[in-house]
Amino acid sequence: MCRSAYNMVLHKYGEKLYNGLESTMTWRLKEISKSIEAAQGGLFLEELNAKWMDHNKALQMIRDILMYMDRTYVPTSHRTPVHELGLNLWRDHIIHYPMIHGRLLDTLLDLIHRERMGEVINRGLMRSITKMLMDLGPAVYQDDFEKPFLEVSASFYSGESQEFIECCDCGNYLKKAERRLNEEMERVSHYLDAGSEAKITSVVEKEMIANHMHRLVHMENSGLVNMLIDDKYEDLGRMYTLFRRVPDGLSTIRDMMTSYLRETGKHLVTDPERLKDPVEFVQCLLNEKDKHDKIINVAFGNDKTFQNALNSSFEFFINLNNRSPEFISLYVDDKLRKGLKGATEEDVEGILDKVMMLFRYLQEKDVFEKYYKQHLAKRLLSGKTVSDDAERSMIVKLKTECGYQFTSKLEGMFTDMKTSQDTMQDFYAKKSEELGDGPTLDVHILTTGSWPTQPSPPCSLPPEILAVCEKFRGYYLGTHSGRRLTWQTNMGTADIKATFGKSQKHELNVSTYQMCVLMLFNTSDGLSYKDIEQATEIPSTDLKRCLQSLACVKGKNVLRKEPMSKDISEDDTFYFNDKFTSKLVKVKIGTVVAAKESEPEKQETRQRVEEDRKPQIEAAIVRIMKSRRVLDHNSIVSEVTKQLQARFLPNPVIIKKRIESLIEREFLERDKADRKLYRYLA
């Protein structure tokens, strides 16, 4: 046969041979089409597949026999190669045959629908049929199967998603959507062309996710907010994975999460009940941060855009409460006084790192610095710090975050404590004989400017204490020329021995003010409020707190007062309480004081902060104008804010006042032509 075909082409009968082949194949395929058309039900695809396999084998044999014609006649005559001709004829006379074409598409779509509804179908047969369509050319697969398949799928998932969303909660809906998506990808891998995966998943994503995402995140009792509240990591992770597949999906989750965080955070920082306990207030903030950090880490793949949204939300609501800097400092104070006892170094670092995270959100870092300095001073002077290493670690963290200027005074406080220790050792080494058996004095020498000391009128010290104090003053000023010493009696403490009825002895740990009051009772049994005030010269507010803690606190009432009440009045009379008893030999009597500042104290602190800001704002303005020479008002405000925002957010009104002050002092001048421009005066 090969020889005959070769001879025909050689003797110029190639056209006759080619036309004969075409007409014979056409006739044969018409016969086959009748056979396929006659196949009933499930046998239809099997018959089509069997005939396709036979046709393929026949084509290969024909191509081998007519190889010479394929290589010579076909190219020169611009005819279709034999194998391709066979495929084209199969397409035209079988696949596009009206009685087969529609039936084939309906059968394929019906089988896919049945599989979606849970039936098991013959995937091998489906694979053979779709491969046949691909072999006939991508256009055949796409036009005759893929396009209708995608349209029917869109309609199916549109209806199913509507049905699901009416009867399912958010978590279950997402599970069903995820399952459908996985099924379609599996379907493609088993019997559809790989190029169909992106198209069919896009249909499922649009119909099941994109069209319903707003309703899903807002779904009552099961939407995003409920998932966040109940820590539903699995559901949140599924939502994140599915929503990231559709346009604006992640931004929908992010916006909803931000809105929820800001609302709950605002409620948390303005709740009057929570404001009663600063430590609990800050702990709640830390718990919220930990909770949402874990959600972002576990469910949202540590997505940086979600982390940024969380940070901006915390920064927003923490700064709604202008007491946040004070409360964060009080939290650190609580931890460094007693809260870290027995904690490992890693635990301490972990807690301090969390505090620093909240500190970064503060817009008024200088206010935090003011309070931190006050609280640190009290810890150092009362010896109540739980660990010097933890204190220094916190200062290193603040220094890293804000620079040396922020912590220079805090470091100066530690230097003073060490210097004081050395000074006292030297004092007792040189003066021990002079002092004899008198009271033991331990002095902390504080550098003015480093410590948050307030000018306080000195109280009248007992004679025996005053004598030792004067000896120390003489020693210190003799050792350090050109210095001045001012006693800060409002900041000191004392240990005094007291004997009560039935010779019961106790050692009382009290403040310097309390000591001055108690020493009066060595010579008097009863004293009026006026007598005590006159003898001690303690400021009225401090004296009332002092007497309240000595006479009104159960278990610490070494004095008794008449008439008995919780508050101190100027008509009260005080007596030594002979009947005082305590199981402890050492009794600490604290001063009645609020953990938080009172309103006047708060105003005073705020005023000091505002005063401290003025030179910083002026320095920034001068720096900017020195380099720019000429600048308009809005640009100065913008540049100053940019330079100072690491410490605080300057108020534009204050900036304007500082500019006016600099103009008055002839650092700047207004431009004569344009009043909005300022010029730097060298």
Side-chain angles (χ1 to χ4, degrees):
M1 285 176 79
C2 288
R3 174 62 58 185
S4 301
Y6 172 78
N7 286 332
M8 281 185 77
V9 175
L10 202 62
H11 291 94
K12 310 295 182 193
Y13 289 107
E15 186 177 356
K16 188 176 182 182
L17 181 60
Y18 190 91
N19 290 339
L21 170 68
E22 189 173 1
S23 61
T24 305
M25 282 175 73
T26 300
W27 172 80
R28 176 68 188 141
L29 288 173
K30 283 180 179 176
E31 291 299 310
I32 289 172
S33 70
K34 290 173 186 170
S35 162
I36 295 168
E37 187 189 338
Q40 296 299 310
L43 298 174
F44 170 70
L45 284 189
E46 289 182 18
E47 181 68 15
L48 175 63
N49 188 43
K51 296 301 183 194
W52 164 247
M53 304 297 269
D54 292 346
H55 181 66
N56 256 332
K57 283 178 194 167
L59 264 185
Q60 286 168 11
M61 290 170 67
I62 293 168
R63 183 174 59 186
D64 291 345
I65 293 166
L66 302 180
M67 191 182 296
Y68 184 69
M69 181 181 80
D70 238 1
R71 282 158 59 182
T72 55
Y73 169 75
V74 168
T76 54
S77 306
H78 306 296
R79 306 297 288 267
T80 307
V82 170
H83 187 263
E84 195 181 327
L85 174 69
L87 294 179
N88 291 348
L89 291 172
W90 178 270
R91 178 193 65 203
D92 297 340
H93 295 289
I94 302 295
I95 301 304
H96 288 166
Y97 177 55
M99 304 305 291
I100 293 175
H101 184 258
R103 190 175 168 194
L104 171 61
L105 178 62
D106 290 346
T107 305
L108 291 175
L109 295 178
D110 180 59
L111 285 170
I112 290 171
H113 179 76
R114 280 158 60 186
E115 188 178 45
R116 280 175 179 155
M117 300 312 288
E119 288 186 39
V120 177
I121 63 167
N122 186 343
R123 285 180 162 181
L125 181 59
M126 289 288 283
R127 177 74 191 150
S128 298
I129 299 297
T130 54
K131 188 176 183 306
M132 170 192 75
L133 296 175
M134 278 302 296
D135 290 345
L136 295 175
V140 176
Y141 174 83
Q142 287 166 9
D143 295 342
D144 294 334
F145 168 71
E146 192 182 60
K147 281 181 185 172
F149 162 67
L150 294 174
E151 286 168 11
V152 167
S153 298
S155 173
F156 172 80
Y157 284 119
S158 172
E160 186 176 75
S161 65
Q162 200 57 49
E163 185 185 317
F164 285 165
I165 206 150
E166 296 300 338
C167 66
C168 297
D169 64 21
C170 184
N172 283 328
Y173 181 93
L174 293 173
K175 282 179 189 170
K176 291 178 186 292
E178 183 182 53
R179 193 182 76 240
R180 283 306 196 189
L181 206 51
N182 291 336
E183 282 173 6
E184 291 302 334
M185 289 190 276
E186 188 191 2
R187 184 169 293 115
V188 170
S189 70
H190 277 97
Y191 57 79
L192 300 181
D193 179 62
S196 297
E197 183 172 321
K199 297 173 188 175
I200 185 60
T201 52
S202 175
V203 166
V204 180
E205 287 158 9
K206 179 177 180 290
E207 298 300 337
M208 295 205 81
I209 303 163
N211 289 351
H212 300 289
M213 61 185 178
H214 289 287
R215 184 168 173 186
L216 286 167
V217 294
H218 290 95
M219 200 172 268
E220 199 175 343
N221 301 325
S222 69
L224 179 66
V225 168
N226 289 83
M227 291 179 184
L228 291 170
I229 291 169
D230 299 333
D231 295 332
K232 293 196 170 177
Y233 303 117
E234 195 181 324
D235 287 344
L236 286 165
R238 188 175 289 113
M239 180 180 275
Y240 177 83
T241 307
L242 292 173
F243 277 45
R244 75 185 300 182
R245 303 178 72 104
V246 300
D248 301 326
L250 290 187
S251 62
T252 302
I253 300 178
R254 206 163 44 239
D255 293 348
M256 183 71 182
M257 184 186 87
T258 303
S259 168
Y260 158 71
L261 281 171
R262 290 188 174 209
E263 197 54 46
T264 52
K266 184 180 177 181
H267 177 70
L268 194 153
V269 301
T270 54
D271 180 3
E273 284 302 309
R274 293 203 187 278
L275 299 183
K276 288 175 183 175
D277 185 348
V279 175
E280 185 58 33
F281 172 87
V282 175
Q283 192 58 57
C284 280
L285 290 177
L286 291 174
N287 293 346
E288 283 298 308
K289 184 70 170 63
D290 284 347
K291 172 189 171 79
H292 292 97
D293 271 340
K294 188 176 179 184
I295 286 171
I296 289 170
N297 195 26
V298 174
F300 299 159
N302 214 9
D303 188 317
K304 288 287 171 276
T305 61
F306 279 79
Q307 196 64 58
N308 293 341
L310 178 64
N311 289 337
S312 73
S313 300
F314 265 75
E315 186 175 340
F316 165 77
F317 64 72
I318 278 180
N319 290 293
L320 290 177
N321 184 347
N322 61 6
R323 303 201 74 173
S324 290
E326 178 193 355
F327 286 4
I328 293 171
S329 180
L330 282 166
Y331 179 83
V332 178
D333 186 57
D334 179 74
K335 293 298 173 193
L336 292 178
R337 275 177 184 272
K338 53 182 187 267
L340 297 176
K341 274 183 185 166
T344 63
E345 198 176 323
E346 289 79 12
D347 291 341
V348 172
E349 284 298 306
I351 288 169
L352 296 183
D353 283 338
K354 284 181 180 180
V355 170
M356 287 307 298
M357 177 184 62
L358 291 185
F359 169 77
R360 287 185 199 108
Y361 296 138
L362 292 176
Q363 288 170 354
E364 296 190 309
K365 294 182 174 66
D366 58 337
V367 177
F368 171 87
E369 181 194 7
K370 269 274 182 293
Y371 285 112
Y372 191 78
K373 199 189 286 184
Q374 288 174 17
H375 297 144
L376 174 63
K378 285 178 186 173
R379 289 199 297 277
L380 292 178
L381 295 175
S382 62
K384 287 295 185 313
T385 182
V386 82
S387 153
D388 272 357
D389 290 341
E391 291 283 7
R392 292 186 185 279
S393 174
M394 184 66 186
I395 288 176
V396 168
K397 290 178 194 298
L398 289 168
K399 191 175 185 176
T400 307
E401 196 67 33
C402 300
Y404 169 75
Q405 194 182 359
F406 194 89
T407 57
S408 58
K409 289 180 180 177
L410 302 178
E411 288 171 328
M413 289 160 74
F414 279 94
T415 308
D416 283 351
M417 294 301 288
K418 178 74 178 80
T419 310
S420 299
Q421 212 175 344
D422 298 341
T423 302
M424 291 316 297
Q425 283 175 358
D426 188 55
F427 171 64
Y428 278 106
K430 290 177 179 174
K431 303 281 182 181
S432 56
E433 288 181 17
E434 277 184 51
L435 296 168
D437 295 331
T440 306
L441 192 67
D442 185 12
V443 181
H444 294 122
I445 302 109
L446 316 180
T447 307
T448 307
S450 289
W451 294 76
T453 51
Q454 298 303 312
S456 170
C459 71
S460 184
L461 291 167
E464 48 272 71
I465 303 295
L466 196 57
V468 189
C469 288
E470 287 307 316
K471 282 177 185 171
F472 179 79
R473 183 193 290 275
Y475 155 78
Y476 187 79
L477 297 179
T479 314
H480 303 86
S481 60
R483 294 194 183 179
R484 281 193 313 161
L485 276 184
T486 309
W487 295 104
Q488 297 286 319
T489 47
N490 58 323
M491 297 170 77
T493 59
D495 290 328
I496 55 178
K497 291 176 179 172
T499 308
F500 296 91
K502 298 180 184 175
S503 302
Q504 196 173 358
K505 294 184 178 181
H506 290 286
E507 192 175 299
L508 308 177
N509 176 254
V510 293
S511 71
T512 303
Y513 284 165
Q514 289 169 336
M515 173 202 69
C516 294
V517 171
L518 290 174
M519 295 287 274
L520 297 175
F521 289 90
N522 279 335
T523 53
S524 301
D525 288 333
L527 291 164
S528 69
Y529 176 87
K530 294 284 186 192
D531 293 337
I532 295 170
E533 187 175 38
Q534 198 174 344
T536 60
E537 297 178 6
I538 297 170
S540 175
T541 312
D542 293 319
L543 180 59
K544 283 182 179 175
R545 280 183 183 172
C546 166
L547 288 168
Q548 198 174 5
S549 52
L550 290 170
C552 304
V553 179
K554 194 176 178 184
K556 306 285 175 78
N557 50 335
V558 292
L559 299 181
R560 59 187 177 81
K561 82 177 189 81
E562 289 179 3
M564 192 57 208
S565 63
K566 284 186 180 178
D567 297 315
I568 303 297
S569 141
E570 294 188 5
D571 300 323
D572 290 344
T573 306
F574 297 86
Y575 301 92
F576 183 68
N577 183 10
D578 248 346
K579 294 176 182 172
F580 173 80
T581 56
S582 174
K583 291 177 184 175
L584 304 170
V585 177
K586 289 187 177 181
V587 180
K588 175 174 169 51
I589 301 174
T591 305
V592 174
V593 61
K596 299 178 290 182
E597 288 187 309
S598 65
E599 203 55 42
E601 288 173 327
K602 197 165 78 173
Q603 293 299 333
E604 196 182 326
T605 303
R606 173 58 62 179
Q607 212 169 339
R608 289 203 308 273
V609 168
E610 294 298 344
E611 284 303 316
D612 287 350
R613 285 179 178 180
K614 286 177 183 176
Q616 294 180 60
I617 293 171
E618 287 182 0
I621 295 168
V622 170
R623 275 197 305 273
I624 292 159
M625 292 304 294
K626 210 169 186 177
S627 64
R628 305 288 282 276
R629 313 305 291 184
V630 178
L631 210 56
D632 67 278
H633 182 80
N634 288 346
S635 299
I636 292 182
V637 172
S638 170
E639 292 275 340
V640 169
T641 304
K642 200 170 167 185
Q643 278 198 20
L644 296 176
Q645 64 187 4
R647 279 182 66 77
F648 62 91
L649 274 182
N651 186 328
V653 176
I654 305 294
I655 296 174
K656 188 171 188 295
K657 284 181 181 174
R658 295 340 303 152
I659 292 172
E660 297 292 346
S661 173
L662 289 169
I663 290 171
E664 280 172 27
R665 287 177 282 154
E666 297 184 352
F667 283 90
L668 309 176
E669 68 173 1
R670 277 198 170 84
D671 187 84
K672 290 177 175 60
D674 185 351
R675 303 292 287 168
K676 286 184 180 176
L677 282 182
Y678 300 106
R679 293 184 178 280
Y680 178 69
L681 298 175

